[in-house]
Amino acid sequence: MRLSTMRPLNHTPTLISSTLTLKPQCIPLTQHSKSHINTIKIPNLSPLKSTPPPLSEKVGKKWKEYQGMSNWNGLLDPLDDNLRSEILRYGHFVEAAYKSFNPNPSSPDYATCKYTKSTLFEQCHLPKTGYKVTKHLRATSSIQLPGWIDKAPRWVNAVQSSYVGYVAVCDDKEEIKRLGRRDIVIAFRGTTTCLEWLENLHATLTHLPCSMKNNEEKKKNGYQFDENIPMVESGFLSLYTSKTDSNCSLQEMVKEEVARVLQTYGDEPLSLTVTGHSLGAALATLTAYDVRTFFNRPPPVTVISFGGPRVGNRSFRLRLEEQGTKVLRIVNSDDVITKLPGFVFDDDVDGRKGDVAESEGIHVARFPRWIRKRVEEAQWVYSEVGEELRLCSRNSPYLRGVNVATCHDLNTYLHLVDGFVSSTCPFRSTANRFLSR
């Protein structure tokens, strides 16, 4: 497939809201039919312009629980209504990162933010967030393009750095009171530019620079080199650490802005929530890890990720857990992007007998230790991080014949979050976000 014909997986379908009055009940899964190949058309529906979910006044009293300080114990299945609202609220921040990106290759402002910091939320139909944008964030790639690329279309070669998201700080007294603290949000969009697509293909694991530095220091002091150091996907790390055209990396921008905000509001109760979709989910995880590593006394750091790919190895996951970073991954089981890149072993396999595990009717081969050791040495074994809220496109009666793009779309994720009740009631009839073609 030629790059010029590639379509980003984050194409946004239209959202519509029902005017019908429905009793709050679970929609039976028996309504699903494999014979359907298109999205169901629902009559008498009016347009919905990304209306934020209703805000709960009860968040402030339990805000640490909703930020994952207890690993969302008892809040995911069934899904707590306040947590649902918070997830959707952060999803709208990610949506704003998409909407504010200029996707027009013929525009002189291609790949920049279309709006100023003071107007971004209003222009993205989020006028009453209680937050103000304090920083636009940009990222680039370390990929060295060949000379012939100059003759390629402008969208391929013209942009060496692009707008990927923003930092926003809650500055409304009523919202701070409702949340129980002043919240800092870092929101990232997903893959859009050519260089980002190319970096996504760099799926090999690489050592984090700070980890390599620590190991070199240990070697000088006579300690044995630690092979179990954190490693992450090289393409994601490149986008996070490469210098942009302003000679400043995304990593440096984030650290500088977080340091400024902490200095300004450091005497208040604070939280840092990093959120993103697709590539943005991977960047969110790296950002959270970096903030907790770099700052001596950081605020509680939480990642809310939508449709994120795998980011790092088991040591990276363990380091995230050790430093207290909380990660909630919202995963659509039909979304292939969440199954990439690399290979994942079940950490509990070694303690079980037999060669085959059986889960939900699916037989999974168990690998002997010597095979596991060889694969791990190949440096392409990834590990899932944090807690997971698992959803499924097939549980929605409003989605039929779902394809790769639809399953990965951010609005599909928001639709599924809004409809999910529990593992025994995967979609509620009173959900107010529907998708249509």
Side-chain angles (χ1 to χ4, degrees):
M1 178 183 291
R2 293 181 301 170
L3 284 176
S4 58
T5 64
M6 292 180 68
R7 234 178 135 185
L9 295 181
N10 47 46
H11 176 66
T12 304
T14 304
L15 287 172
I16 52 181
S17 174
S18 175
T19 59
L20 301 177
T21 302
L22 298 174
K23 294 181 180 180
Q25 58 182 351
C26 192
I27 298 179
L29 295 182
T30 54
Q31 292 183 11
H32 291 267
S33 172
K34 293 183 179 180
S35 61
H36 288 267
I37 58 173
N38 295 314
T39 303
I40 291 179
K41 302 288 185 178
I42 308 174
N44 301 322
L45 297 173
S46 57
L48 171 67
K49 294 183 178 180
S50 301
T51 305
L55 299 179
S56 170
E57 299 297 333
K58 300 179 181 179
V59 172
K61 297 179 180 179
K62 300 172 61 177
W63 73 266
K64 291 186 178 181
E65 292 184 41
Y66 294 124
Q67 289 295 107
M69 297 305 106
S70 299
N71 295 316
W72 295 280
N73 184 34
L75 298 177
L76 299 176
D77 191 7
L79 181 60
D80 180 89
D81 284 334
N82 291 331
L83 179 58
R84 182 202 317 280
S85 294
E86 287 298 284
I87 293 172
L88 292 174
R89 188 170 67 89
Y90 288 116
H92 280 283
F93 283 127
V94 178
E95 191 176 40
Y98 276 117
K99 289 183 177 179
S100 54
F101 176 80
N102 185 344
N104 183 5
S106 62
S107 169
D109 298 321
Y110 170 56
T112 64
C113 182
K114 295 189 291 184
Y115 311 120
T116 64
K117 294 192 289 289
S118 60
T119 63
L120 189 150
F121 286 141
E122 184 176 0
Q123 292 286 349
C124 294
H125 307 293
L126 291 175
K128 298 181 180 180
T129 62
Y131 289 68
K132 65 176 180 181
V133 176
T134 62
K135 182 77 172 181
H136 289 156
L137 300 174
R138 298 180 66 82
T140 191
S141 166
S142 62
I143 292 177
Q144 298 297 318
L145 298 177
W148 57 261
I149 207 72
D150 292 335
K151 298 180 181 180
R154 184 178 185 278
W155 70 274
V156 174
N157 67 348
V159 178
Q160 292 302 312
S161 68
S162 57
Y163 164 74
V164 293
Y166 57 85
V167 181
V169 179
C170 186
D171 69 337
D172 180 80
K173 292 182 179 179
E174 291 301 316
E175 183 66 359
I176 293 173
K177 180 180 178 181
R178 187 188 73 83
L179 294 175
R181 84 281 186 193
R182 187 186 295 271
D183 187 38
I184 308 163
V185 168
I186 303 177
F188 294 112
R189 61 164 176 80
T191 306
T192 302
T193 69
C194 174
L195 288 179
E196 290 164 3
W197 278 109
L198 292 175
E199 286 289 23
N200 285 347
L201 301 177
H202 285 188
T204 56
L205 286 163
T206 186
H207 296 104
L208 285 166
C210 59
S211 300
M212 288 295 293
K213 181 179 179 181
N214 292 338
N215 274 281
E216 289 299 324
E217 292 176 353
K218 289 181 179 180
K219 285 181 66 177
K220 292 179 181 179
N221 295 326
Y223 291 98
Q224 185 177 0
F225 188 86
D226 184 5
E227 295 180 353
N228 297 317
I229 61 177
M231 301 176 70
V232 296
E233 200 256 32
S234 57
F236 301 151
L237 185 63
S238 172
L239 287 168
Y240 186 62
T241 59
S242 298
K243 300 282 188 179
T244 66
D245 44 15
S246 60
N247 199 34
C248 185
S249 67
L250 172 60
Q251 180 184 43
E252 292 167 334
M253 292 181 194
V254 167
K255 288 180 178 179
E256 178 183 329
E257 185 60 15
V258 170
R260 187 193 68 79
V261 173
L262 293 181
Q263 184 176 10
T264 303
Y265 304 108
D267 57 342
E268 302 178 24
L270 294 174
S271 67
L272 174 61
T273 309
V274 198
T275 185
H277 170 247
S278 191
L279 167 65
L283 293 177
T285 305
L286 288 177
T287 297
Y289 174 88
D290 200 36
V291 168
R292 293 287 299 188
T293 302
F294 181 78
F295 292 95
N296 292 328
R297 298 180 62 186
V301 178
T302 302
V303 176
I304 304 293
S305 73
F306 300 87
R310 295 161 181 162
V311 179
N313 65 354
R314 182 174 182 270
S315 294
F316 177 69
R317 186 198 76 196
L318 293 176
R319 190 66 59 85
L320 278 171
E321 294 173 354
E322 290 171 0
Q323 65 180 206
T325 300
K326 302 301 179 180
V327 180
L328 178 58
R329 295 180 297 111
I330 293 89
V331 174
N332 178 1
S333 59
D334 292 324
D335 182 3
V336 297
I337 301 302
T338 63
K339 301 173 176 64
L340 301 172
F343 192 95
V344 172
F345 280 125
D346 184 343
D347 288 336
D348 296 328
V349 164
D350 284 338
R352 302 170 188 167
K353 296 181 179 180
D355 297 322
V356 177
E358 187 171 345
S359 176
E360 297 181 358
I362 300 175
H363 290 80
V364 182
R366 287 180 178 159
F367 296 89
R369 286 180 181 274
W370 68 270
I371 292 183
R372 289 166 59 93
K373 180 173 172 44
R374 294 298 179 270
V375 174
E376 288 167 357
E377 289 174 350
Q379 298 184 353
W380 51 282
V381 178
Y382 284 76
S383 181
E384 306 289 13
V385 300
E387 303 298 319
E388 178 182 273
L389 174 60
R390 181 162 288 271
L391 311 170
C392 181
S393 297
R394 289 166 291 175
N395 288 337
S396 169
Y398 309 106
L399 293 171
R400 292 293 185 270
V402 289
N403 54 37
V404 172
T406 301
C407 289
H408 186 58
D409 190 276
L410 174 60
N411 279 321
T412 297
Y413 272 87
L414 300 183
H415 169 66
L416 295 176
V417 169
D418 189 66
F420 180 77
V421 177
S422 68
S423 55
T424 58
C425 178
F427 210 91
R428 57 178 179 153
S429 61
T430 54
N432 59 12
R433 296 177 65 95
F434 300 113
L435 297 173
S436 178
R437 292 182 186 274

